[in-house]
Amino acid sequence: MTEPTTLRMGLIRKKPAWTDEAFRSHWRDRHGPLVAQLPTLRSYRQNLVLDRLQRGIDFARGPWDFDGFSQLRFDEGAQADAAFNTGELAAAIRADEERFLGGLHIVTVAQTEVVALPPKPQGLLKRISLLRRPIEQSEDDFRREWKVHADHVRRMPGVSGYRQNVVTAREFVKGTPCGHAELPIDGIVELWFENTDTLDAAFASPQGRVTMAHALTFLSEITAFVVEEHRVV
């Protein structure tokens, strides 16, 4: 297991008037290259939502409905704040977001890679899931149990990659910090499989059932999305 790293993730909804294809095209071909100009940006991934099925898990789904997830890595949090809040480029990025986005929440996360991806992960199915802890459970208890959960997932058959992203800061409105009550997401999962059959078989396996039984002990919601990842930087 690698040491945690810190990055910012955008939880994105398109404007209702935009078609899926128009949103995809603008996000990838216009907005992506604009954000890529940020001088302190180290990596940038766009994750376009392809479906919103739970796939393999019998678990309460949260209210979240997003069209994409962005992942932007900087050397330091202060660099990210400066990049998005000062200068002409930051203003241009905000103006473009107002043009095509109907909603944008930001979370800062501490990322841990539990199962390393293969050298060439192209073609793998990727799933992003949003996690919420029970209201009576503390943040510390959630994080402790999620570390235990990592060992269960690691033993599941067919898992090609697995990352845990612990939410450490939230912005319901970009640029304005908020608390858990305003944006009650505690963690974001990234899981890779060869295909949907492999995913279904993993969760249907004996170890998959053990894994989900443990999930019921420390999670109240899992909201899953199959996504298509695009590397911008």
Side-chain angles (χ1 to χ4, degrees):
M1 185 180 296
T2 61
E3 290 300 314
T5 58
T6 301
L7 71 152
R8 288 166 59 106
M9 296 186 67
L11 316 181
I12 294 169
R13 285 186 294 272
K14 66 179 178 65
K15 284 189 172 180
W18 284 61
T19 66
D20 291 342
E21 184 54 40
F23 166 73
R24 174 194 178 104
S25 177
H26 187 89
W27 191 28
R28 177 171 293 193
D29 300 331
R30 298 290 298 276
H31 192 73
L34 184 66
V35 174
Q37 297 177 49
L38 291 170
T40 57
L41 184 64
R42 295 293 171 258
S43 69
Y44 176 26
R45 304 288 189 273
Q46 295 177 341
N47 298 275
L48 181 75
V49 170
L50 301 181
D51 78 41
R52 297 164 175 81
L53 302 177
Q54 292 293 74
R55 289 193 182 276
I57 57 175
D58 183 15
F59 218 97
R61 185 176 179 87
W64 311 110
D65 187 12
F66 296 113
D67 298 295
F69 302 90
S70 60
Q71 297 172 294
L72 302 100
R73 191 181 305 279
F74 296 83
D75 288 338
E76 298 176 0
Q79 290 182 343
D81 293 338
F84 284 109
N85 293 300
T86 59
E88 293 182 1
L89 180 56
I93 291 171
R94 289 195 299 271
D96 193 57
E97 289 169 346
E98 291 173 2
R99 178 185 177 192
F100 79 109
L101 296 185
L104 173 61
H105 311 314
I106 302 293
V107 292
T108 301
V109 303
Q111 183 181 89
T112 302
E113 186 173 66
V114 179
V115 177
L117 281 167
K120 295 182 179 181
Q122 293 84 358
L124 292 177
L125 179 148
K126 180 179 181 180
R127 184 163 82 177
I128 288 180
S129 300
L130 310 180
L131 308 181
R132 181 177 182 178
R133 70 182 191 267
I135 191 169
E136 67 276 6
Q137 185 183 58
S138 71
E139 188 174 70
D140 287 343
D141 285 345
F142 163 75
R143 293 180 178 184
R144 181 167 49 251
E145 284 303 313
W146 203 15
K147 288 182 179 179
V148 174
H149 195 71
D151 289 330
H152 290 299
V153 175
R154 189 186 287 110
R155 291 192 288 267
M156 286 173 57
V159 175
S160 297
Y162 175 44
R163 293 174 184 161
Q164 293 182 339
N165 298 285
V166 175
V167 175
T168 58
R170 302 166 176 85
E171 301 171 19
F172 186 83
V173 176
K174 182 182 175 183
T176 304
C178 71
H180 184 271
E182 291 79 19
L183 192 57
I185 297 171
D186 296 283
I188 299 178
V189 176
E190 295 174 85
L191 265 173
W192 286 263
F193 297 91
E194 184 177 347
N195 50 44
T196 55
D197 289 342
T198 307
L199 184 159
D200 290 338
F203 283 99
S205 70
Q207 181 57 43
R209 292 193 292 271
V210 169
T211 300
M212 293 315 298
H214 179 252
L216 288 167
T217 69
F218 76 104
L219 296 177
S220 64
E221 293 174 354
I222 301 176
T223 309
F225 303 83
V226 169
V227 301
E228 176 185 85
E229 182 182 275
H230 171 61
R231 178 177 178 174
V232 183
V233 176

